[in-house]
Amino acid sequence: MSSSRNRPITLLSLGHVCVDVYQGAVAALVPYFVSERAYTYAAASGIVLAASLLSSVVQPVFGVLTDRWPMPWLLPLSALTGGAGVALSGVVGSYALTLVAVAVSGIGVAAYHPEAARAARAAAGGSNTAMGWFSLGGNIGFALAPPLVAAVVATGGLGASPLLGVPAVVGAVLCGAAVRSPQRRSAVARAAVATGVDDWASFLRLSGAIVCRSVVFVGLSAFVSLYVRQRTGGGEAAGTAALFVLYAGGALGTLAGGRLADRYGRLAVVRRSYALSVVAVAGVVLVPGPAVYPFVALTSAGLYVPFALHITLGQDFLPRRPGTASGVTLGLAVSAGGLAAPVLGSLADATSLRTALLPLIALPVVGRLLLCGLREPAPAVERPPAHRHPRTTSA
């Protein structure tokens, strides 16, 4: 594509970086809430839950709304809202107000994703590689949250949290520029009248597979660092390295998924990724010593390669409801991982960390079975909007 056609997807990808910083920022702030405000671990967990759960539940609602009414203005507004909540969370005085602040941030993040995914799909022009770049932006933003929070709060304390609103301002500018581009406006006009038949049965099976992927990813994100420390005896550095490998593979996996799908087809790539994840997760849980690291890398690939493809498949299974599809695949289905994490933690407390991680081997198998028999959906058919008859004017 020419540089002018690449501009909208580039702007949306960079805006995605700025918004998804706030998905990771709340968890990154937890240690500072505990140390400066003496919150208990239960109270700190409540803050994370207030942001993630509300965001995940509300996100499909925004998806339904954007299916009924195009809302390009929602992108810059939601970026500002997501940042404002996090920026205020460190300066409000009470626990209740802190919960409200992070909940507001969660609503902003929830409002952003359905319309952003819809806009990115239109700007991508059917390219899975372009959608991979958009999804990569979110992964980068999430990964940047911990160092950003550390740079601001570790030096200035929670009172410096308003500085965390800077990425939101940048993101709002980028999103505003993206939705004002001529290519984006024409794409929205075509997508608004997309035709086709919604395949709810296939969409629900895809969503079930995404739930399985989410539980594995969140479970490993929470415990792989501790587990690798136990298995290798390498201390904190060994655990940190494992977590870095798990996250760093996301950048390569997301981009590789788009390129592979353009060549081999989306469902073929997604199915093989889930099959790879079975072997990879088994290696993480069962292989002792430093040999665990290659399996962490394989797990990262297996989990991230289908990430962007889930979005476009969901939109094409529900061609008349792309916002709803995006809200579920990016929000509701993914939230299941967060809800399952406390269950895994309780199981680990009652038994052992290895026992708690064993069920994660089976989940990609379940996801792969749910994908059996699904057919590659045709891209949503875009019908040009009806033209109004021009008014006759006198010469």
Side-chain angles (χ1 to χ4, degrees):
M1 291 188 296
S2 65
S3 58
S4 62
R5 293 189 63 190
N6 276 328
R7 184 172 181 269
I9 196 69
T10 300
L11 291 171
L12 288 167
S13 299
L14 293 173
H16 201 184
V17 173
C18 297
V19 173
D20 274 17
V21 160
Y22 299 108
Q23 291 219 81
V26 174
L29 283 167
V30 164
Y32 301 100
F33 286 129
V34 172
S35 61
E36 290 193 30
R37 297 182 178 177
Y39 286 170
T40 65
Y41 291 124
S45 299
I47 293 174
V48 176
L49 189 62
S52 60
L53 184 60
L54 184 61
S55 174
S56 300
V57 172
V58 171
Q59 201 163 140
V61 176
F62 281 104
V64 173
L65 293 175
T66 58
D67 283 335
R68 292 177 63 89
W69 303 284
M71 300 178 180
W73 50 267
L74 191 60
L75 297 185
L77 178 61
S78 58
L80 292 172
T81 304
V86 166
L88 291 173
S89 65
V91 294
V92 293
S94 68
Y95 180 71
L97 289 177
T98 302
L99 288 178
V100 171
V102 298
V104 167
S105 179
I107 292 173
V109 171
Y112 170 83
H113 281 97
E115 181 65 19
R118 176 189 179 109
R121 184 69 188 280
S127 169
N128 291 304
T129 300
M131 282 299 292
W133 281 106
F134 171 73
S135 298
L136 175 63
N139 294 333
I140 291 174
F142 192 92
L144 287 176
L148 175 65
V149 169
V152 173
V153 181
T155 56
L158 286 173
S161 67
L163 292 175
L164 296 174
V166 172
V169 177
V170 176
V173 172
L174 292 167
C175 291
V179 299
R180 285 196 302 269
S181 68
Q183 296 89 350
R184 161 66 184 140
R185 288 197 297 268
S186 63
V188 169
R190 292 193 303 273
V193 290
T195 61
V197 178
D198 291 336
D199 184 354
W200 281 100
S202 296
F203 178 76
L204 290 175
R205 288 169 63 183
L206 174 68
S207 299
I210 296 172
V211 168
C212 294
R213 182 260 180 203
S214 174
V215 173
V216 174
F217 178 73
V218 175
L220 288 179
S221 297
F223 300 115
V224 73
S225 180
L226 292 171
Y227 187 66
V228 169
R229 287 171 59 183
Q230 293 178 5
R231 301 288 283 177
T232 64
E236 292 184 4
T240 301
L243 191 59
F244 174 77
V245 170
L246 182 66
Y247 286 159
L252 296 176
T254 301
L255 291 178
R259 293 185 180 276
L260 291 170
D262 284 336
R263 183 170 183 178
Y264 299 108
R266 291 173 294 180
L267 276 175
V269 173
V270 171
R271 289 187 181 113
R272 290 170 186 172
S273 299
Y274 277 73
L276 172 64
S277 297
V278 177
V279 178
V281 175
V284 171
V285 178
L286 301 175
V287 172
V292 71
Y293 289 104
F295 286 100
V296 175
L298 284 176
T299 299
S300 181
L303 295 177
Y304 271 109
V305 162
F307 186 78
L309 308 181
H310 289 149
I311 302 171
T312 60
L313 282 168
Q315 290 173 332
D316 288 343
F317 281 135
L318 300 183
R320 292 181 177 274
R321 297 173 174 83
T324 300
S326 301
V328 172
T329 55
L330 285 170
L332 192 60
V334 174
S335 71
L339 296 176
V343 178
L344 294 176
S346 298
L347 181 59
D349 287 335
T351 56
S352 69
L353 192 51
R354 184 183 185 186
T355 301
L357 294 179
L358 281 173
L360 300 184
I361 302 174
L363 286 173
V365 178
V366 177
R368 177 63 180 83
L369 292 174
L370 287 169
L371 296 169
C372 287
L374 292 184
R375 295 184 178 182
E376 183 79 26
V381 177
E382 294 179 352
R383 175 172 52 83
H387 295 288
R388 296 179 179 177
H389 294 291
R391 295 179 180 177
T392 58
T393 57
S394 58

